[in-house]
Amino acid sequence: LLAFALWLYVGREANPEVTSSLSRVQVVFSGLESLEQRGLMISEGAEQTVTLRIRATRDVWNRLNQGDTTVTIDVSGIAEPGTQSVSITTRNINFPRSITVMDSIDVQYTSPGAVEFTVSRWATRQVPIQGSFSGSVAEGYQREDFSFAPETITVSGREELVNQVDHALVTVTQEDMSATYSENCPYTLIGADGAVIPTDQLETDPATVEAMP
């Protein structure tokens, strides 16, 4: 009995319990296919991390620091757009494979305590293309009206953002233009109020259009 007690004591001294924080734990969403089938998407909060306050022995911490710990949020049951809040519990925390059920891990709290994100409807629509000419035409020449190939582009993404797009604007800059012009050009998305709409949250196809002013 004395030998056993001494073994336990030495084991605890060599491998003490440590309380510390595990930062930048990635939030992973599962069930995205079900969202897409319902015409929905995660429009805000798709990329975020959390911090876990954990008490575990030193050898467990060594393995925690060598692997990837994630928090998995299942979105397969969401059927309507809106703001969502899912609490973080031990059930949706995934530790590295080197951590077994025999290892004692006490998750004391998480920061934040819940994962918040926004689900929106996915929309796709065709947007017309307009042209703007900046420059000059050589004497004796006349510039014809713009033509484009294709004549429209496809804009996809969050419904409320897609609906803000009025047209795609191609700007052609030429000086003393005296020959037939044809070039693949980028474009800018423009709203009904004339303001530029950022494309970082939208998908567009094709990336360029052939402009012939």
Side-chain angles (χ1 to χ4, degrees), residues 28-78:
V28 178
F29 292 92
S30 65
L32 293 175
E33 299 82 1
S34 297
L35 275 189
E36 295 175 359
Q37 291 172 2
R38 298 185 182 108
L40 301 173
M41 61 176 289
I42 298 177
S43 55
E44 296 180 14
E47 297 291 335
Q48 56 181 300
T49 61
V50 300
T51 298
L52 307 179
R53 187 69 174 175
I54 295 174
R55 182 172 180 82
T57 56
R58 183 171 293 167
D59 72 309
V60 171
W61 268 107
N62 289 337
R63 282 176 280 157
L64 282 173
N65 291 325
Q66 292 173 359
D68 291 328
T69 299
T70 60
V71 172
T72 300
I73 303 298
D74 183 9
V75 297
S76 61
I78 299 175

Side-chain angles (χ1 to χ4, degrees), residues 108-195:
Q108 298 182 333
Y109 65 87
T110 68
S111 179
V115 174
E116 295 186 356
F117 56 99
T118 302
V119 173
S120 301
R121 293 201 181 278
W122 177 272
T124 299
R125 57 187 285 256
Q126 299 295 312
V127 174
I129 304 172
Q130 297 181 14
S132 174
F133 181 77
S134 175
S136 61
V137 178
E139 186 176 353
Y141 291 84
Q142 184 176 358
R143 183 179 67 83
E144 297 182 352
D145 293 335
F146 275 96
S147 61
F148 302 99
E151 297 181 348
T152 62
I153 64 167
T154 302
V155 180
S156 303
R158 184 174 163 185
E159 184 178 51
E160 52 265 39
L161 291 179
V162 172
N163 290 340
Q164 292 177 19
V165 182
D166 181 75
H167 63 275
L169 179 65
V170 173
T171 300
V172 175
T173 302
Q174 288 286 311
E175 297 295 336
D176 293 327
M177 188 167 65
S178 61
T180 301
Y181 176 90
S182 177
E183 185 178 356
N184 285 326
C185 300
Y187 49 80
T188 303
L189 299 182
I190 305 296
D193 59 355

Side-chain angles (χ1 to χ4, degrees), residues 54-108:
I54 295 174
R55 182 172 180 82
T57 56
R58 183 171 293 167
D59 72 309
V60 171
W61 268 107
N62 289 337
R63 282 176 280 157
L64 282 173
N65 291 325
Q66 292 173 359
D68 291 328
T69 299
T70 60
V71 172
T72 300
I73 303 298
D74 183 9
V75 297
S76 61
I78 299 175
E80 295 294 335
T83 301
Q84 308 290 328
S85 181
V86 180
S87 298
I88 302 173
T89 68
T90 54
R91 293 184 177 181
N92 51 21
I93 299 175
N94 303 298
F95 295 106
R97 292 184 177 181
S98 59
I99 305 298
T100 68
V101 294
M102 300 298 294
D103 295 314
S104 177
I105 298 179
D106 178 20
V107 180
Q108 298 182 333

